Every structure is written in structure tokens, then in C-alpha cells.
Amino acid sequence: MEPILQISDLIASDPAHARGPFAPGFENGAGFVVDEIRPMAEANVPLTDLGFMRADAVYDVVTVSRGQFFKLQAHQKRFARSCERMRLTNPYTMEEEAKILNDLVLASGLKDAYVWWCVTRGANPTLAADRLQADKFQNRFYAFVIPYVWIKGDTERSAGINIKISEEYIRIPRNSVDPRAKNFCSLDLAMSLFEAGDDGADWSVLTDGNGALTEAPGCNIFIVKDGVVSTPDLGCLEGVTRETALELAKETGRGVQTRRVLARELEEADEAFMTSSAGGIMPIARVNGKALRNAGAGPITSELHNLYWTKRWSGWHATPVSAGEP
């Protein structure tokens, strides 16, 4: 079995990842608020914005490594679908949005970055009657760029994560809040993390309340059984890294399934992993404290993890950060 690549160590030591120039005040990243780029310390949201008050917003995250966006257009298209599903209007075109994200990365000087953006409902209209009509709100666009965020570092990825299937919380039903839209309604996920921490686990995963897995906080979930890679088809985000893992599994000749995956199947899996923009492919070693058959980074998970990063760095699905148009 090939060893799992130590990605965060490579990023810290390889000159290809060295930070570029940035203006004073942008040491901690760059934000975009009220139609201009600002230092992170000045990137503030009005208190009356319903994105802050009522979690009435959608967002997305794309990552940059070695100065290249990964699947930028796929993230933008998903963001557009999220806006449509939540009846929000992006004030910017996709081309304008891409330029804002590109310019934020340039302002930060970062070669490896976590790029976040959202559209919120904005403040309530003055007339109460207008609150029943989505087009009466002034929707707002916000964005920021900070150094790349890791859900779990090299040591934890190599050893594998200890994940807890939540017993106290279930994922918000999809006919209440559409999970395909990357939205702010995530207290169920947040509370499940505290539950996992109380139990000595590293992360959590939620079910639909009827025995089927949905997703983990910020992550999609996968199992590997008898060489077949499976992931839930309902109750979860249309993850771009999830899509990428399925692509890579097919490329390596693995069977893939998107279907209803039972919680007990996770406990009985040969291997398991999570996927996220904030970390890529992350191996799972234990479920509810019990070791999987291939505890740690199993052979299939390791292969997918290493392929994900080596292909990314070779320019696969890349959009270079540019001083011109992205």
C-alpha cells in the first residue's frame, strides 16, 4: 500500500506554495464587503442583514493550491443553483464573481487559499408586505480569502479519523431545507460535533433519522466495501470534492454507487473516508470507537487521496490565479 502523502508538510516546505506580495493590512487575508476589497479586519456584515439574523443565505467555498483554483466553474455553477433554490439573486454575473474571487486571492498574496463567498437576503424591506416577495429584498454579496483551511492535518489523515454517528441529532429534512443548496442552516451539524467531542471522537456524521447516512459537518461521507465505493444520494450537499472522488474512483477501475447508505454499513465497511474542499479526501479509521477492517488510510482511500493531490498540482481542472482575467 502506498503511503499517504503528507500534504500540509509539502505545502509548508515547497517553494511552489510560497506566499506572494500583499499590501499592509492583508496579513490575515482579504474580504469583499459593500462592493470593495478590504483587509479581513474591516470585512464586516451589517447586523440587520438576514444572513446574520436568520441564517438566510447561501454560500460556497473553492480552494486554491499552488496558485490555481480547483474546479472554479463547478463551484460557481453550484453556487448559482443554490441561489436559485433559495430564491436569492446574485448581484454579480459569473464572470464578475470570478474576477472578485481572483482579485481577493491576489490581494492576499496566498498560493494556497480557502476562498469563501455568499449571497444573503439582505435587510428586511421597510414595508412589511414586501417581506412576502423575494424580489423586494436587496440581496448582498460577501466574500473572503484566508490561508488554506484543514479540517484534519497530516497526522490525523495518516492515522485515520475517529468518527461518531450522531445519536442525538439528525440532519434537517430535505423538505424543510434543501441540502443541495450550500446554506447557513447548520446547527444540527454543529451540535453533532459537540456530541462527538464529548464522546472522544474526532468528527461526526448525521443520519436522516431512519437509519440512512446523510452527511458530516462540511463533508460528504463514503464507504468502501468489497472494492466498491459508495456515497449517499439524498440528504446531502452536491459536493464538488464528492464528485471528484467519484471521478477518481472510476478512473482507477473501482465500482461506484450513489445510493441510500445505511449507518450500519459505515460500521461494517472495509474502508471509509470523508471529502471536503477543506482537506480533500480524509480517511476514517474508527466508527463509534470501533476500528474498521482497514483502520487508518486503507489502500483504496490512500490511492484516491494521493491521486487527488498529484492531479490537482499537475493542473487538472485548474484555473490559474491571474493578474488579468481569471
Side-chain angles (χ1 to χ4, degrees):
M1 183 179 76
E2 60 180 317
I4 191 167
L5 290 173
Q6 303 298 288
I7 302 301
S8 51
D9 282 350
L10 286 168
I11 287 175
S13 60
D14 191 321
H17 301 270
R19 190 171 188 172
F22 54 89
F26 287 85
E27 294 83 0
N28 297 319
F32 186 88
V33 178
V34 192
D35 305 328
E36 66 178 36
I37 293 176
R38 306 180 185 185
M40 277 297 290
E42 300 174 17
N44 302 313
V45 177
L47 288 175
T48 55
D49 193 307
L50 294 174
F52 169 75
M53 293 179 68
R54 297 182 186 169
D56 190 350
V58 297
Y59 74 103
D60 219 294
V61 172
V62 66
T63 58
V64 171
S65 194
R66 289 191 182 176
Q68 300 181 116
F69 288 98
F70 182 63
K71 289 193 170 182
L72 175 59
Q73 289 188 349
H75 281 280
Q76 288 191 274
K77 288 177 181 177
R78 181 178 67 179
F79 183 68
R81 293 194 300 271
S82 294
C83 287
E84 182 178 2
R85 285 166 175 156
M86 297 304 188
R87 300 182 67 176
L88 290 160
T89 300
N90 190 339
Y92 298 101
T93 66
M94 289 186 70
E95 292 76 17
E96 291 168 336
E97 178 185 272
K99 187 176 189 310
I100 290 168
L101 303 180
N102 182 86
D103 290 351
L104 279 170
V105 178
L106 282 177
S108 73
L110 292 165
K111 293 290 179 62
D112 294 88
Y114 178 94
V115 184
W116 183 101
W117 74 104
C118 78
V119 166
T120 69
R121 191 71 61 191
N124 268 318
T126 303
L127 297 177
D130 287 345
R131 299 178 190 179
L132 290 96
Q133 301 178 56
D135 60 358
K136 297 294 185 180
F137 290 79
Q138 184 181 4
N139 301 160
R140 301 296 313 191
F141 182 99
Y142 304 95
F144 67 81
V145 170
I146 57 175
Y148 189 91
V149 173
W150 297 95
I151 287 181
K152 297 295 176 184
D154 284 340
T155 300
E156 291 162 308
R157 286 200 307 278
S158 296
I161 298 163
N162 178 14
I163 195 166
K164 178 177 176 60
I165 301 171
S166 179
E167 298 172 358
E168 297 182 31
Y169 305 97
I170 63 169
R171 192 68 179 107
I172 297 172
R174 63 182 186 272
N175 57 344
S176 294
V177 178
D178 189 343
R180 297 173 301 169
K182 198 168 176 69
N183 62 78
F184 280 16
C185 303
S186 59
L187 268 176
D188 50 350
L189 299 170
M191 298 306 292
S192 75
L193 282 175
F194 296 143
E195 177 193 4
D198 292 342
D199 203 44
D202 301 317
W203 212 250
S204 60
V205 63
L206 275 69
T207 71
D208 62 359
N210 294 305
L213 297 174
T214 56
E215 59 188 348
C219 308
N220 290 107
I221 189 89
F222 285 76
I223 66 165
V224 180
K225 188 70 174 179
D226 298 328
V228 177
V229 178
S230 301
T231 191
D233 59 347
L234 295 174
C236 59
L237 180 69
E238 296 174 333
V240 174
T241 314
R242 170 184 181 267
E243 170 194 275
T244 303
L246 292 170
E247 283 184 63
L248 294 174
K250 291 176 184 176
E251 181 180 316
T252 57
R254 313 292 177 189
V256 300
Q257 296 178 345
T258 55
R259 60 175 177 83
R260 188 171 187 262
V261 179
L262 299 178
R264 62 172 174 77
E265 292 183 80
L266 177 58
E267 297 178 286
E268 298 167 359
D270 298 331
E271 301 177 42
F273 58 89
M274 300 187 298
T275 59
S276 173
S277 291
I281 293 171
M282 297 168 285
I284 293 169
R286 306 176 74 84
V287 178
N288 295 341
K290 180 182 176 182
L292 298 180
R293 181 170 299 174
N294 288 304
I300 294 175
T301 303
S302 295
E303 181 181 28
L304 297 177
H305 172 277
N306 292 352
L307 196 56
Y308 171 81
W309 286 104
T310 55
K311 285 175 72 74
R312 272 195 69 163
W313 289 341
S314 72
W316 186 53
H317 293 302
T319 302
V321 177
S322 170
E325 292 296 322

